[in-house]
Structures are given as C-alpha cells and as structure tokens.
Amino acid sequence: MQIQRQFKNTNTSQLISLAILGILLLLYAPLLLHWWEGWVKKSISIEHEYFSHGIIGLPFAGYLCWMNRKKWQRLPNTSHPLGIVLLAVAGIFYLSGVSEWVNISFPAMLAGLCLWFKGIPGLKLQGFPLILVLLATPTSVPYLITPYTLPLQSFIAGTAGFILSQLGMQVIVDGINIYVGGRIVEVAPYCAGLKMLFTTLYVGLMLLYWTDALSSRRKSLWFLSIAVLISVSANIVRNTLLSFFHGTGQEGAFHWLHDGWGGDLYSAIMLLSLVPTLNWIDKSFSEVSEIQPEGEG
C-alpha cells in the first residue's frame, strides 16, 4: 500500500513538472527563438548582440539543470514567500509588452519556480544555471555603459596607432579616430571590445565552473583578470588590423574581419586561448600548494 502511494505521488509530481515545462515552452519558446535569431543573424540591434554568448550559455544552463535533476527530486518540497513574489513580477513583466521587461521576466520566472517548489535549497542548487540565464538575458546595460567607454576607445586608438607607426605607416590619432593614408577608422563603442569582454567573462565563468576552479577565489580572480587582459589585447590587435586594411584599401579583408565570419573566427580563437590559460593557472597554484607544506616541514 505504501509503495502504491509513493508511486502515485511520483507520477503526480512528474505530471506537474511536465505541465509546468509545457507552459514555459508555450510562453517563452517564441522569446528564446527571437533571441537566437537576433544573435545568429545579427538582425535586431547592436545592444542585443552584446548577449550573443547566450548561444552557448543557455544550452549549458539547460544541461546543468538536467544533470541536477536527481538532486532536485531529493530536495524536500518547501515554498519560500519570495517565490510567489518573483512569479507575480514575472507575470506582470511578461504581460506588459515592453520588450526589456518581457526579457527579464524569463529569469525571474525560473527563479520564482525554484523558490516556490524547493525553497532556498532549490535556488542554491540551480543558482549557477540561473546566473547563466540572467547574464544572457538582453537588457539595456550595454547602452548604459557605452557613455563611459570613451577612455577605453581612446586607449585602443592610441595603441593601434602606435603599432602601425612602428610598421612605418603614416598614422594620425585624433581622440578615437585613426587616420591611415588619409582614410579614417573610428574606434566606436561597439569596436571598443565590450561585446568581446562580456563574452570572455561569461565563457570564463563557465570554464571555472566546469573545472571546479570557481570554488577557489584566488584562481578565479587571477583567471578572470588575465582573461580581461587577453580580451583587451586581442581587441587592440583587431582594431590595428582593421585600420591597416582600411588604410591600405583592402576593403574585402576589412569587412571580413569587421562584420563577416572572420570576426567570429577571431573571437572563437581568442576564447579557445582561455582553456590553456586556465590550465596554466590551475597547474601553477597546484605546484605552489605542494611546495608550501614542504617548506613548512
């Protein structure tokens, strides 16, 4: 009799989970497809493209949730009052019709469901997948940051101009503008590497979590700091090449690297360099931890 009750309760919980999953798909599948199309085809806005790291982040978040499914089932069914608040906020945002609010309703809905069904333990269990979803949700944050990127733009323009001048080219740098052979290249906010920097930090967090290095604050800080340097350096090289191509009349190469698949390839190579960087940091810290006990002995 007890086995039958457990079987019945299991079937009921599974049916509820499937029903909730079905409702979420109906509500948010069009939104996610809209995001995906904008990221892949670059057909929405520059600010939307800043979150294109969601192409790899959202599937990874889904994979982590799937891997945590057994732990989720073992958690006691308990509700937290904040859950219903987040669900209400998500519902209001979704029905508002304002694009940014509709976007934000997605992570709010997921967090609310975690709190409503499993309380704080459920939120902690799915914490990292929720962070990945939140950081991939298109908002106006890049637009708000753009006015403060002028120092970075000027630094990149000046460094690119210096590199080109060392190659024997006639270069004039005026603020964020680089004149090569009488032709101008502007280091615009989008070209300042914010998108690449966001993607670098996002992928860096994924690598730290995957290798279990996120639990070490020292490793995480060192890795993310070096990742930022790699991103900025790679963007300086990219802008130098763009200025060279445009200044020498190589428009095909310019567009290939600027808005063609060459730019995506360049970014992918830069992101792949994070893997050996993390391995090097992990190895270095492991060697230090092994040497310290010997010195103390």
Side-chain angles (χ1 to χ4, degrees):
M1 189 70 176
Q2 186 177 0
I3 296 176
Q4 290 180 348
R5 287 179 180 176
Q6 291 179 350
F7 182 75
K8 184 177 180 180
N9 290 334
T10 302
N11 285 341
T12 302
S13 62
Q14 289 179 348
L15 288 174
I16 293 175
S17 299
L18 289 174
I20 293 174
L21 181 60
I23 293 173
L24 286 176
L25 286 175
L26 288 174
L27 289 176
Y28 289 103
L31 179 67
L32 294 176
L33 290 174
H34 177 66
W35 292 359
W36 184 274
E37 183 179 10
W39 291 333
V40 173
K41 297 183 179 180
K42 302 178 181 179
S43 57
I44 299 180
S45 66
I46 291 178
E47 285 74 19
H48 183 90
E49 291 180 29
Y50 275 75
F51 299 91
S52 60
H53 47 253
I55 293 177
I56 56 176
L58 294 182
F60 185 64
Y63 168 77
L64 293 179
C65 290
W66 175 255
M67 296 301 292
N68 290 333
R69 68 189 186 282
K70 292 184 179 179
K71 294 180 181 180
W72 174 269
Q73 293 171 357
R74 287 195 292 266
L75 289 175
N77 295 325
T78 178
S79 297
H80 192 279
L82 184 57
I84 191 64
V85 174
L86 286 177
L87 291 174
V89 169
I92 293 172
F93 278 17
Y94 186 89
L95 295 174
S96 68
V98 180
S99 59
E100 185 167 352
W101 288 16
V102 174
N103 292 345
I104 296 174
S105 73
F106 182 56
M109 178 69 72
L110 296 178
L113 288 174
C114 290
L115 287 169
W116 180 252
F117 286 106
K118 299 294 182 178
I120 297 297
L123 184 67
K124 289 182 177 179
L125 178 63
Q126 306 294 358
F128 192 75
L130 287 173
I131 290 175
L132 292 179
V133 173
L134 178 62
L135 294 179
T137 301
T139 62
S140 59
V141 170
Y143 177 78
L144 298 175
I145 295 177
T146 296
Y148 304 99
T149 60
L150 185 59
L152 180 61
Q153 295 170 253
S154 300
F155 171 73
I156 292 173
T159 307
F162 175 77
I163 294 173
L164 291 173
S165 65
Q166 297 305 303
L167 297 176
M169 302 186 69
Q170 294 184 350
V171 181
I172 298 175
V173 178
D174 181 17
I176 62 174
N177 299 312
I178 308 173
Y179 295 87
V180 181
R183 309 186 73 176
I184 182 175
V185 174
E186 178 188 1
V187 182
Y190 177 76
C191 299
L194 279 182
K195 179 179 179 294
M196 186 180 291
L197 183 60
F198 285 176
T199 303
T200 301
L201 292 174
Y202 191 85
V203 173
L205 284 175
M206 291 172 58
L207 289 174
L208 287 170
Y209 183 86
W210 182 256
T211 59
D212 201 30
L214 193 60
S215 57
S216 173
R217 183 177 298 178
R218 291 179 62 194
K219 288 182 182 179
S220 300
L221 289 176
W222 271 98
F223 173 65
L224 293 178
S225 299
I226 295 175
V228 169
L229 290 176
I230 291 175
S231 177
V232 174
S233 300
N235 193 55
I236 290 173
V237 173
R238 178 176 177 271
N239 277 276
T240 302
L241 291 173
L242 289 172
S243 300
F244 174 79
F245 291 149
H246 188 63
T248 55
Q250 302 181 49
E251 296 303 321
F254 175 84
H255 290 293
W256 173 77
L257 184 60
H258 183 257
D259 49 11
W261 63 270
D264 297 330
L265 177 62
Y266 186 84
S267 299
I269 293 173
M270 189 275 297
L271 292 175
L272 286 175
S273 69
L274 297 179
V275 177
T277 301
L278 180 56
N279 290 336
W280 172 73
I281 291 176
D282 187 59
K283 182 180 178 181
S284 299
F285 276 89
S286 298
E287 290 176 352
V288 170
S289 62
E290 290 177 0
I291 293 173
Q292 283 180 346
E294 294 179 2
E296 293 173 359

